[in-house]
């Protein structure tokens, strides 16, 4: 069984990052997730602001993340190796996400016991610009994201360029 998540639905839901999109999916429901809010308050393997995905409550180290069908590199700071940080990929560069919900350790190894997430990037020619602004009713916690993607291919090869600016203002308690 494979779940396919299209990134076009994220704009309708007000989701601005791939980590949020994956963590709000039904396959990740009920699992404790490492979000930027948690990783800035506690010591986490990925470092401050990291975001990972845990399937079936087995932790992110048991969920294999692939990028276009190939293993994505690990994240980490100061010599510590951690699971793939979902913040390194802008949402605008992603076409779809395929989630294999069954354990696939016999195919991929012990890091795929909980399942496999395959992130498929956009291909082809063209460009896209996306602007996302989230403003709460009270002041504080404003979120701004500006993303752009452009791709071109020809007889000489192909290239893709992606830019992403994301800022979340501090929400003060008082």
């Amino acid at each position: 069984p494979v779940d396919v998540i299209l990134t076009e639905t994220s704009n309708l839901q007000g989701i601005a990052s791939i980590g949020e999109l994956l963590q709000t999916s039904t396959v990740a429901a009920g699992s404790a997730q490492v979000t930027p809010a948690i990783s800035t308050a506690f010591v986490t393997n990925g470092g401050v602001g990291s975001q990972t995905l845990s399937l079936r409550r087995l932790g992110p180290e048991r969920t294999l993340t692939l990028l276009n069908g190939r293993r994505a590199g690990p994240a980490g700071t100061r010599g510590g190796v951690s699971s793939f940080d979902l913040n390194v990929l802008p949402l605008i560069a992603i076409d779809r996400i395929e989630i294999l919900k069954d354990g696939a350790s016999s195919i991929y190894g012990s890091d795929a016991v909980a399942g496999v997430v395959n992130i498929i990037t956009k291909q082809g020619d063209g460009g896209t610009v996306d602007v996302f602004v989230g403003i709460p009713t009270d002041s504080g916690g404003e979120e701004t994201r500006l993303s752009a993607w452009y791709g071109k291919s020809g007889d000489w090869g192909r290239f893709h360029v992606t830019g992403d600016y994301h800022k979340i203002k501090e929400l003060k308690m008082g």
Side-chain angles (χ1 to χ4, degrees):
V2 176
D3 277 356
V4 177
I5 301 173
L6 301 175
T7 57
E8 295 141 4
T9 60
S10 64
N11 289 336
L12 300 174
Q13 297 173 356
I15 295 173
S17 73
I18 189 171
E20 288 177 58
L21 181 63
L22 286 170
Q23 290 174 352
T24 56
S25 66
T26 56
V27 73
S31 297
Q33 306 293 341
V34 174
T35 64
I38 291 173
S39 64
T40 56
F42 302 101
V43 177
T44 58
N45 279 343
V48 176
S50 66
Q51 195 163 15
T52 59
L53 179 67
S54 172
L55 300 177
R56 296 186 179 159
R57 298 182 186 191
L58 295 175
E61 61 277 352
R62 296 291 177 237
T63 302
L64 177 62
T65 304
L66 302 175
L67 184 59
N68 292 326
R70 296 182 179 212
R71 286 179 184 265
T77 59
R78 298 183 182 174
V81 178
S82 179
S83 301
F84 180 71
D85 185 6
L86 298 171
N87 288 329
V88 300
L89 293 172
L91 191 60
I92 198 164
I94 307 302
D95 182 44
R96 68 185 184 280
I97 302 163
E98 300 170 348
I99 302 173
L100 176 63
K101 297 185 285 187
D102 283 347
S105 60
S106 62
I107 300 169
Y108 293 105
S110 64
D111 54 347
V113 170
V116 179
V117 177
N118 189 12
I119 302 169
I120 309 294
T121 57
K122 289 183 180 178
Q123 301 293 322
D125 297 343
T128 307
V129 175
D130 185 37
V131 177
F132 175 84
V133 178
I135 302 174
T137 55
D138 294 330
S139 64
E142 293 87 3
E143 183 174 2
T144 306
R145 176 173 227 130
L146 174 64
S147 302
W149 173 85
Y150 179 76
K152 184 75 176 162
S153 60
D155 294 336
W156 40 266
R158 65 179 178 185
F159 74 93
H160 296 154
V161 178
T162 304
D164 189 51
Y165 171 79
H166 188 201
K167 181 171 183 170
I168 301 174
K169 288 192 177 176
E170 186 176 272
L171 179 62
K172 298 178 183 177
M173 296 176 66

